[in-house]
PDB file of all heavy atoms in Angstrom:
ATOM      1  N   GLU N   1       0.851  -1.197   0.000  1.00  0.00           N
ATOM      2  CA  GLU N   1       0.000   0.000   0.000  1.00  0.00           C
ATOM      3  C   GLU N   1       0.882   1.240   0.000  1.00  0.00           C
ATOM      4  O   GLU N   1       2.014   1.219   0.506  1.00  0.00           O
ATOM      5  CB  GLU N   1      -0.926   0.019   1.214  1.00  0.00           C
ATOM      6  CG  GLU N   1      -0.208   0.041   2.554  1.00  0.00           C
ATOM      7  CD  GLU N   1      -1.167   0.004   3.733  1.00  0.00           C
ATOM      8  OE1 GLU N   1      -1.651   1.077   4.127  1.00  0.00           O
ATOM      9  OE2 GLU N   1      -1.428  -1.109   4.261  1.00  0.00           O
ATOM     10  N   ALA N   2       0.355   2.317  -0.579  1.00  0.00           N
ATOM     11  CA  ALA N   2       1.121   3.559  -0.639  1.00  0.00           C
ATOM     12  C   ALA N   2       0.179   4.719  -0.885  1.00  0.00           C
ATOM     13  O   ALA N   2      -0.831   4.580  -1.604  1.00  0.00           O
ATOM     14  CB  ALA N   2       2.178   3.490  -1.739  1.00  0.00           C
ATOM     15  N   MET N   3       0.488   5.877  -0.281  1.00  0.00           N
ATOM     16  CA  MET N   3      -0.265   7.099  -0.543  1.00  0.00           C
ATOM     17  C   MET N   3       0.352   7.801  -1.745  1.00  0.00           C
ATOM     18  O   MET N   3       1.574   8.006  -1.812  1.00  0.00           O
ATOM     19  CB  MET N   3      -0.209   8.023   0.666  1.00  0.00           C
ATOM     20  CG  MET N   3      -0.994   7.536   1.866  1.00  0.00           C
ATOM     21  SD  MET N   3      -2.809   7.484   1.618  1.00  0.00           S
ATOM     22  CE  MET N   3      -3.164   9.196   1.271  1.00  0.00           C
ATOM     23  N   ASN N   4      -0.487   8.147  -2.718  1.00  0.00           N
ATOM     24  CA  ASN N   4      -0.028   8.845  -3.917  1.00  0.00           C
ATOM     25  C   ASN N   4      -0.975   9.997  -4.211  1.00  0.00           C
ATOM     26  O   ASN N   4      -2.153   9.780  -4.522  1.00  0.00           O
ATOM     27  CB  ASN N   4       0.030   7.896  -5.120  1.00  0.00           C
ATOM     28  CG  ASN N   4       1.063   6.809  -4.965  1.00  0.00           C
ATOM     29  OD1 ASN N   4       2.225   7.102  -4.708  1.00  0.00           O
ATOM     30  ND2 ASN N   4       0.648   5.551  -5.102  1.00  0.00           N
ATOM     31  N   HIS N   5      -0.454  11.230  -4.073  1.00  0.00           N
ATOM     32  CA  HIS N   5      -1.229  12.425  -4.393  1.00  0.00           C
ATOM     33  C   HIS N   5      -2.573  12.458  -3.664  1.00  0.00           C
ATOM     34  O   HIS N   5      -3.607  12.797  -4.241  1.00  0.00           O
ATOM     35  CB  HIS N   5      -1.454  12.533  -5.900  1.00  0.00           C
ATOM     36  CG  HIS N   5      -0.197  12.468  -6.711  1.00  0.00           C
ATOM     37  ND1 HIS N   5       0.751  13.482  -6.702  1.00  0.00           N
ATOM     38  CD2 HIS N   5       0.301  11.504  -7.532  1.00  0.00           C
ATOM     39  CE1 HIS N   5       1.758  13.150  -7.491  1.00  0.00           C
ATOM     40  NE2 HIS N   5       1.510  11.953  -8.003  1.00  0.00           N
ATOM     41  N   GLY N   6      -2.569  12.084  -2.403  1.00  0.00           N
ATOM     42  CA  GLY N   6      -3.768  12.176  -1.581  1.00  0.00           C
ATOM     43  C   GLY N   6      -4.750  11.041  -1.738  1.00  0.00           C
ATOM     44  O   GLY N   6      -5.876  11.111  -1.231  1.00  0.00           O
ATOM     45  N   SER N   7      -4.373   9.960  -2.436  1.00  0.00           N
ATOM     46  CA  SER N   7      -5.208   8.764  -2.579  1.00  0.00           C
ATOM     47  C   SER N   7      -4.387   7.548  -2.149  1.00  0.00           C
ATOM     48  O   SER N   7      -3.157   7.568  -2.215  1.00  0.00           O
ATOM     49  CB  SER N   7      -5.691   8.594  -4.024  1.00  0.00           C
ATOM     50  OG  SER N   7      -6.534   9.666  -4.404  1.00  0.00           O
ATOM     51  N   LEU N   8      -5.082   6.497  -1.712  1.00  0.00           N
ATOM     52  CA  LEU N   8      -4.415   5.301  -1.225  1.00  0.00           C
ATOM     53  C   LEU N   8      -4.472   4.201  -2.279  1.00  0.00           C
ATOM     54  O   LEU N   8      -5.543   3.835  -2.751  1.00  0.00           O
ATOM     55  CB  LEU N   8      -5.085   4.811   0.063  1.00  0.00           C
ATOM     56  CG  LEU N   8      -4.491   3.545   0.699  1.00  0.00           C
ATOM     57  CD1 LEU N   8      -3.038   3.762   1.076  1.00  0.00           C
ATOM     58  CD2 LEU N   8      -5.322   3.129   1.922  1.00  0.00           C
ATOM     59  N   SER N   9      -3.299   3.694  -2.628  1.00  0.00           N
ATOM     60  CA  SER N   9      -3.202   2.603  -3.596  1.00  0.00           C
ATOM     61  C   SER N   9      -2.924   1.302  -2.857  1.00  0.00           C
ATOM     62  O   SER N   9      -2.004   1.223  -2.046  1.00  0.00           O
ATOM     63  CB  SER N   9      -2.083   2.892  -4.603  1.00  0.00           C
ATOM     64  OG  SER N   9      -1.936   1.816  -5.499  1.00  0.00           O
ATOM     65  N   ILE N  10      -3.725   0.263  -3.144  1.00  0.00           N
ATOM     66  CA  ILE N  10      -3.559  -1.061  -2.546  1.00  0.00           C
ATOM     67  C   ILE N  10      -3.320  -2.044  -3.687  1.00  0.00           C
ATOM     68  O   ILE N  10      -4.173  -2.210  -4.566  1.00  0.00           O
ATOM     69  CB  ILE N  10      -4.799  -1.484  -1.740  1.00  0.00           C
ATOM     70  CG1 ILE N  10      -5.159  -0.420  -0.696  1.00  0.00           C
ATOM     71  CG2 ILE N  10      -4.573  -2.831  -1.070  1.00  0.00           C
ATOM     72  CD1 ILE N  10      -6.480  -0.690   0.007  1.00  0.00           C
ATOM     73  N   CYS N  11      -2.157  -2.698  -3.676  1.00  0.00           N
ATOM     74  CA  CYS N  11      -1.780  -3.593  -4.771  1.00  0.00           C
ATOM     75  C   CYS N  11      -1.737  -5.043  -4.296  1.00  0.00           C
ATOM     76  O   CYS N  11      -1.141  -5.343  -3.252  1.00  0.00           O
ATOM     77  CB  CYS N  11      -0.428  -3.203  -5.340  1.00  0.00           C
ATOM     78  SG  CYS N  11      -0.408  -1.558  -6.118  1.00  0.00           S
ATOM     79  N   ALA N  12      -2.363  -5.928  -5.069  1.00  0.00           N
ATOM     80  CA  ALA N  12      -2.374  -7.364  -4.778  1.00  0.00           C
ATOM     81  C   ALA N  12      -1.427  -8.063  -5.737  1.00  0.00           C
ATOM     82  O   ALA N  12      -1.538  -7.903  -6.970  1.00  0.00           O
ATOM     83  CB  ALA N  12      -3.786  -7.924  -4.921  1.00  0.00           C
ATOM     84  N   GLY N  13      -0.482  -8.847  -5.196  1.00  0.00           N
ATOM     85  CA  GLY N  13       0.475  -9.553  -6.023  1.00  0.00           C
ATOM     86  C   GLY N  13      -0.145 -10.696  -6.796  1.00  0.00           C
ATOM     87  O   GLY N  13      -1.071 -11.361  -6.324  1.00  0.00           O
ATOM     88  N   LEU N  14       0.372 -10.951  -7.999  1.00  0.00           N
ATOM     89  CA  LEU N  14      -0.147 -11.999  -8.870  1.00  0.00           C
ATOM     90  C   LEU N  14       0.997 -12.796  -9.490  1.00  0.00           C
ATOM     91  O   LEU N  14       2.090 -12.265  -9.712  1.00  0.00           O
ATOM     92  CB  LEU N  14      -0.971 -11.387 -10.012  1.00  0.00           C
ATOM     93  CG  LEU N  14      -2.324 -10.768  -9.672  1.00  0.00           C
ATOM     94  CD1 LEU N  14      -2.746  -9.822 -10.790  1.00  0.00           C
ATOM     95  CD2 LEU N  14      -3.378 -11.857  -9.489  1.00  0.00           C
ATOM     96  N   LEU N  15       0.712 -14.037  -9.775  1.00  0.00           N
ATOM     97  CA  LEU N  15       1.572 -14.847 -10.619  1.00  0.00           C
ATOM     98  C   LEU N  15       0.787 -15.090 -11.904  1.00  0.00           C
ATOM     99  O   LEU N  15      -0.224 -15.800 -11.910  1.00  0.00           O
ATOM    100  CB  LEU N  15       1.917 -16.173  -9.946  1.00  0.00           C
ATOM    101  CG  LEU N  15       2.787 -17.123 -10.775  1.00  0.00           C
ATOM    102  CD1 LEU N  15       4.110 -16.472 -11.159  1.00  0.00           C
ATOM    103  CD2 LEU N  15       3.030 -18.433 -10.040  1.00  0.00           C
ATOM    104  N   VAL N  16       1.247 -14.473 -12.999  1.00  0.00           N
ATOM    105  CA  VAL N  16       0.503 -14.468 -14.256  1.00  0.00           C
ATOM    106  C   VAL N  16       1.027 -15.565 -15.174  1.00  0.00           C
ATOM    107  O   VAL N  16       2.229 -15.674 -15.423  1.00  0.00           O
ATOM    108  CB  VAL N  16       0.623 -13.090 -14.949  1.00  0.00           C
ATOM    109  CG1 VAL N  16      -0.176 -13.073 -16.247  1.00  0.00           C
ATOM    110  CG2 VAL N  16       0.148 -11.986 -14.007  1.00  0.00           C
ATOM    111  N   ARG N  17       0.122 -16.373 -15.677  1.00  0.00           N
ATOM    112  CA  ARG N  17       0.477 -17.433 -16.614  1.00  0.00           C
ATOM    113  C   ARG N  17       0.045 -17.102 -18.036  1.00  0.00           C
ATOM    114  O   ARG N  17       0.622 -17.610 -18.994  1.00  0.00           O
ATOM    115  CB  ARG N  17      -0.171 -18.754 -16.179  1.00  0.00           C
ATOM    116  CG  ARG N  17       0.256 -19.231 -14.802  1.00  0.00           C
ATOM    117  CD  ARG N  17      -0.397 -20.563 -14.454  1.00  0.00           C
ATOM    118  NE  ARG N  17      -0.002 -21.024 -13.124  1.00  0.00           N
ATOM    119  CZ  ARG N  17      -0.632 -20.699 -12.009  1.00  0.00           C
ATOM    120  NH1 ARG N  17      -1.715 -19.919 -12.078  1.00  0.00           N
ATOM    121  NH2 ARG N  17      -0.208 -21.143 -10.845  1.00  0.00           N
ATOM    122  N   GLU N  18      -0.995 -16.279 -18.156  1.00  0.00           N
ATOM    123  CA  GLU N  18      -1.570 -15.977 -19.468  1.00  0.00           C
ATOM    124  C   GLU N  18      -1.513 -14.474 -19.710  1.00  0.00           C
ATOM    125  O   GLU N  18      -2.137 -13.686 -18.991  1.00  0.00           O
ATOM    126  CB  GLU N  18      -3.025 -16.474 -19.518  1.00  0.00           C
ATOM    127  CG  GLU N  18      -3.696 -16.348 -20.873  1.00  0.00           C
ATOM    128  CD  GLU N  18      -5.075 -16.984 -20.879  1.00  0.00           C
ATOM    129  OE1 GLU N  18      -5.343 -17.838 -20.001  1.00  0.00           O
ATOM    130  OE2 GLU N  18      -5.883 -16.629 -21.760  1.00  0.00           O
ATOM    131  N   THR N  19      -0.750 -14.063 -20.702  1.00  0.00           N
ATOM    132  CA  THR N  19      -0.622 -12.642 -21.036  1.00  0.00           C
ATOM    133  C   THR N  19      -1.949 -12.104 -21.574  1.00  0.00           C
ATOM    134  O   THR N  19      -2.624 -12.776 -22.370  1.00  0.00           O
ATOM    135  CB  THR N  19       0.481 -12.437 -22.087  1.00  0.00           C
ATOM    136  OG1 THR N  19       1.731 -12.857 -21.542  1.00  0.00           O
ATOM    137  CG2 THR N  19       0.587 -10.980 -22.502  1.00  0.00           C
ATOM    138  N   GLY N  20      -2.321 -10.906 -21.147  1.00  0.00           N
ATOM    139  CA  GLY N  20      -3.550 -10.314 -21.660  1.00  0.00           C
ATOM    140  C   GLY N  20      -4.039  -9.150 -20.819  1.00  0.00           C
ATOM    141  O   GLY N  20      -3.364  -8.690 -19.890  1.00  0.00           O
ATOM    142  N   ARG N  21      -5.229  -8.693 -21.166  1.00  0.00           N
ATOM    143  CA  ARG N  21      -5.875  -7.589 -20.450  1.00  0.00           C
ATOM    144  C   ARG N  21      -6.716  -8.172 -19.320  1.00  0.00           C
ATOM    145  O   ARG N  21      -7.651  -8.941 -19.571  1.00  0.00           O
ATOM    146  CB  ARG N  21      -6.752  -6.775 -21.398  1.00  0.00           C
ATOM    147  CG  ARG N  21      -7.486  -5.625 -20.718  1.00  0.00           C
ATOM    148  CD  ARG N  21      -8.468  -4.970 -21.667  1.00  0.00           C
ATOM    149  NE  ARG N  21      -9.254  -3.945 -20.997  1.00  0.00           N
ATOM    150  CZ  ARG N  21     -10.310  -3.343 -21.535  1.00  0.00           C
ATOM    151  NH1 ARG N  21     -10.705  -3.675 -22.766  1.00  0.00           N
ATOM    152  NH2 ARG N  21     -10.968  -2.429 -20.866  1.00  0.00           N
ATOM    153  N   TYR N  22      -6.403  -7.769 -18.091  1.00  0.00           N
ATOM    154  CA  TYR N  22      -7.089  -8.281 -16.913  1.00  0.00           C
ATOM    155  C   TYR N  22      -7.994  -7.209 -16.310  1.00  0.00           C
ATOM    156  O   TYR N  22      -7.627  -6.020 -16.252  1.00  0.00           O
ATOM    157  CB  TYR N  22      -6.078  -8.733 -15.858  1.00  0.00           C
ATOM    158  CG  TYR N  22      -5.436 -10.068 -16.150  1.00  0.00           C
ATOM    159  CD1 TYR N  22      -4.432 -10.174 -17.108  1.00  0.00           C
ATOM    160  CD2 TYR N  22      -5.833 -11.222 -15.480  1.00  0.00           C
ATOM    161  CE1 TYR N  22      -3.832 -11.400 -17.385  1.00  0.00           C
ATOM    162  CE2 TYR N  22      -5.238 -12.451 -15.744  1.00  0.00           C
ATOM    163  CZ  TYR N  22      -4.246 -12.534 -16.705  1.00  0.00           C
ATOM    164  OH  TYR N  22      -3.666 -13.746 -16.967  1.00  0.00           O
ATOM    165  N   LEU N  23      -9.148  -7.645 -15.857  1.00  0.00           N
ATOM    166  CA  LEU N  23     -10.095  -6.775 -15.173  1.00  0.00           C
ATOM    167  C   LEU N  23     -10.329  -7.331 -13.774  1.00  0.00           C
ATOM    168  O   LEU N  23     -10.643  -8.509 -13.614  1.00  0.00           O
ATOM    169  CB  LEU N  23     -11.416  -6.706 -15.940  1.00  0.00           C
ATOM    170  CG  LEU N  23     -11.320  -6.303 -17.419  1.00  0.00           C
ATOM    171  CD1 LEU N  23     -12.699  -6.330 -18.066  1.00  0.00           C
ATOM    172  CD2 LEU N  23     -10.699  -4.925 -17.563  1.00  0.00           C
ATOM    173  N   PHE N  24     -10.159  -6.472 -12.775  1.00  0.00           N
ATOM    174  CA  PHE N  24     -10.338  -6.871 -11.387  1.00  0.00           C
ATOM    175  C   PHE N  24     -11.336  -5.924 -10.717  1.00  0.00           C
ATOM    176  O   PHE N  24     -11.491  -4.767 -11.124  1.00  0.00           O
ATOM    177  CB  PHE N  24      -9.007  -6.812 -10.622  1.00  0.00           C
ATOM    178  CG  PHE N  24      -7.964  -7.753 -11.129  1.00  0.00           C
ATOM    179  CD1 PHE N  24      -7.033  -7.326 -12.069  1.00  0.00           C
ATOM    180  CD2 PHE N  24      -7.904  -9.061 -10.679  1.00  0.00           C
ATOM    181  CE1 PHE N  24      -6.055  -8.191 -12.554  1.00  0.00           C
ATOM    182  CE2 PHE N  24      -6.944  -9.939 -11.152  1.00  0.00           C
ATOM    183  CZ  PHE N  24      -6.014  -9.501 -12.099  1.00  0.00           C
ATOM    184  N   GLU N  25     -11.996  -6.426  -9.672  1.00  0.00           N
ATOM    185  CA  GLU N  25     -12.870  -5.583  -8.865  1.00  0.00           C
ATOM    186  C   GLU N  25     -12.810  -6.032  -7.414  1.00  0.00           C
ATOM    187  O   GLU N  25     -12.527  -7.197  -7.115  1.00  0.00           O
ATOM    188  CB  GLU N  25     -14.311  -5.608  -9.373  1.00  0.00           C
ATOM    189  CG  GLU N  25     -14.995  -6.950  -9.317  1.00  0.00           C
ATOM    190  CD  GLU N  25     -16.409  -6.910  -9.881  1.00  0.00           C
ATOM    191  OE1 GLU N  25     -16.636  -6.272 -10.922  1.00  0.00           O
ATOM    192  OE2 GLU N  25     -17.294  -7.537  -9.249  1.00  0.00           O
ATOM    193  N   ALA N  26     -13.052  -5.083  -6.520  1.00  0.00           N
ATOM    194  CA  ALA N  26     -13.017  -5.375  -5.089  1.00  0.00           C
ATOM    195  C   ALA N  26     -13.886  -4.364  -4.365  1.00  0.00           C
ATOM    196  O   ALA N  26     -14.361  -3.373  -4.956  1.00  0.00           O
ATOM    197  CB  ALA N  26     -11.585  -5.321  -4.562  1.00  0.00           C
ATOM    198  N   ARG N  27     -14.106  -4.616  -3.094  1.00  0.00           N
ATOM    199  CA  ARG N  27     -14.894  -3.718  -2.246  1.00  0.00           C
ATOM    200  C   ARG N  27     -13.994  -3.236  -1.115  1.00  0.00           C
ATOM    201  O   ARG N  27     -13.049  -3.924  -0.732  1.00  0.00           O
ATOM    202  CB  ARG N  27     -16.115  -4.435  -1.668  1.00  0.00           C
ATOM    203  CG  ARG N  27     -17.094  -4.873  -2.750  1.00  0.00           C
ATOM    204  CD  ARG N  27     -16.774  -6.231  -3.294  1.00  0.00           C
ATOM    205  NE  ARG N  27     -17.539  -6.490  -4.521  1.00  0.00           N
ATOM    206  CZ  ARG N  27     -17.082  -7.195  -5.545  1.00  0.00           C
ATOM    207  NH1 ARG N  27     -15.874  -7.733  -5.516  1.00  0.00           N
ATOM    208  NH2 ARG N  27     -17.819  -7.383  -6.611  1.00  0.00           N
ATOM    209  N   VAL N  28     -14.309  -2.067  -0.566  1.00  0.00           N
ATOM    210  CA  VAL N  28     -13.515  -1.524   0.538  1.00  0.00           C
ATOM    211  C   VAL N  28     -14.455  -1.130   1.666  1.00  0.00           C
ATOM    212  O   VAL N  28     -15.472  -0.448   1.444  1.00  0.00           O
ATOM    213  CB  VAL N  28     -12.683  -0.302   0.100  1.00  0.00           C
ATOM    214  CG1 VAL N  28     -11.827   0.199   1.274  1.00  0.00           C
ATOM    215  CG2 VAL N  28     -11.794  -0.651  -1.087  1.00  0.00           C
ATOM    216  N   ALA N  29     -14.133  -1.579   2.886  1.00  0.00           N
ATOM    217  CA  ALA N  29     -14.902  -1.232   4.084  1.00  0.00           C
ATOM    218  C   ALA N  29     -14.070  -0.324   4.969  1.00  0.00           C
ATOM    219  O   ALA N  29     -12.836  -0.372   4.973  1.00  0.00           O
ATOM    220  CB  ALA N  29     -15.299  -2.491   4.848  1.00  0.00           C
ATOM    221  N   ASP N  30     -14.765   0.532   5.755  1.00  0.00           N
ATOM    222  CA  ASP N  30     -14.067   1.425   6.669  1.00  0.00           C
ATOM    223  C   ASP N  30     -13.861   0.744   8.016  1.00  0.00           C
ATOM    224  O   ASP N  30     -14.149  -0.449   8.187  1.00  0.00           O
ATOM    225  CB  ASP N  30     -14.821   2.753   6.814  1.00  0.00           C
ATOM    226  CG  ASP N  30     -16.221   2.581   7.390  1.00  0.00           C
ATOM    227  OD1 ASP N  30     -16.533   1.480   7.919  1.00  0.00           O
ATOM    228  OD2 ASP N  30     -17.015   3.536   7.322  1.00  0.00           O
TER     229      ASP N  30
END
C-alpha cells in the first residue's frame, strides 16, 4: 500500500500465466 497524491493505492500480487488484459474488482470497508 502507498499514498499517492492524496489517494491510497492497494496492490495485490499476482503470478501471471496468461498474457492479456485483466479486469479486477473489489470492495472496501471502513
Side-chain angles (χ1 to χ4, degrees):
E1 61 182 275
M3 290 294 300
N4 294 306
H5 306 291
S7 296
L8 180 60
S9 177
I10 306 172
C11 296
L14 289 161
L15 178 58
V16 181
R17 300 182 181 88
E18 186 174 339
T19 298
R21 179 187 175 190
Y22 283 76
L23 306 178
F24 297 93
E25 63 182 42
R27 296 88 193 146
V28 182
D30 62 13

